[in-house]
Amino acid sequence: MGQPLICRCGTVRLWQGDIASAENSQQLIDWYSPSHLIHGLLFYALLRWVLGRRPLGLRAVVAILVESAWEILENSPVIIDRYREATIALGYRGDSVINSVSDITFMLIGFGLAARLPTWVSIGLAILLELLAGYVIRDNLTLNVIMLIYPIDAIRQWQMGG
């Protein structure tokens, strides 16, 4: 789909903490990695409900396929353009391949945690990660979904620091 294997800057870093940087969504881990971990927590719960007690491995494969489909869609021109017009990601050009693979890995980590942790701990972890990202970068999975589906100007203004 034309996305670079690594950051267009030519370097590979473990962490990129500046969401305004051109390296955001280009390095291995960034402030959006927790949202992918939450995807895994949610996919575990959803697939447990939909597929019942089918083997954990089968449910994990389905979760990987869904997350991979999202990564493909997220890096399509229509979603990249939507991020630029409706969210604070004005310069967003999509994810590097290593960032997409890392996002899928974080989803799988979340899925694995949900399989082993009590439900209340998974819920608490998701809430904690949402609050942390919301506090630090004024964005998180919930806000990201809202702004993609139905952008609210007040949220955008708050995210921009206004």
Side-chain angles (χ1 to χ4, degrees):
M1 293 178 51
Q3 295 304 102
L5 178 62
I6 64 169
C7 178
R8 288 175 173 92
C9 65
T11 62
V12 175
R13 290 186 178 82
L14 178 62
W15 169 252
Q16 174 49 257
D18 181 1
I19 65 166
S21 168
E23 291 186 40
N24 190 52
S25 295
Q26 300 297 302
Q27 301 297 345
L28 288 167
I29 304 171
D30 56 36
W31 275 109
Y32 294 98
S33 299
S35 70
H36 294 279
L37 192 138
I38 294 169
H39 288 177
L41 298 171
L42 294 172
F43 291 163
Y44 177 83
L46 178 65
L47 292 170
R48 178 71 188 257
W49 179 64
V50 171
L51 297 178
R53 295 211 174 257
R54 297 271 164 89
L56 182 65
L58 172 67
R59 289 183 278 142
V61 168
V62 171
I64 290 168
L65 292 173
V66 172
E67 185 74 3
S68 297
W70 166 246
E71 286 298 320
I72 292 168
L73 181 62
E74 180 185 31
N75 287 287
S76 68
V78 67
I79 297 296
I80 290 172
D81 290 344
R82 181 69 176 162
Y83 272 124
R84 286 180 185 158
E85 75 182 35
T87 72
I88 59 170
L90 302 175
Y92 182 66
R93 298 190 317 183
D95 297 355
S96 67
V97 173
I98 63 165
N99 181 263
S100 288
V101 170
S102 178
D103 290 347
I104 294 166
T105 302
F106 269 88
M107 181 284 303
L108 195 55
I109 291 168
F111 187 94
L113 286 172
R116 288 161 182 76
L117 297 173
T119 301
W120 70 269
V121 174
S122 292
I123 292 169
L125 178 60
I127 292 169
L128 177 68
L129 291 173
E130 283 289 89
L131 291 173
L132 177 64
Y135 177 76
V136 174
I137 64 167
R138 295 181 182 231
D139 202 7
N140 57 31
L141 180 59
T142 303
L143 292 172
N144 206 298
V145 170
I146 290 169
M147 295 303 285
L148 275 176
I149 295 172
Y150 188 79
I152 298 171
D153 195 50
I155 292 175
R156 184 184 345 215
Q157 291 301 319
W158 174 76
Q159 286 181 316
M160 293 172 66

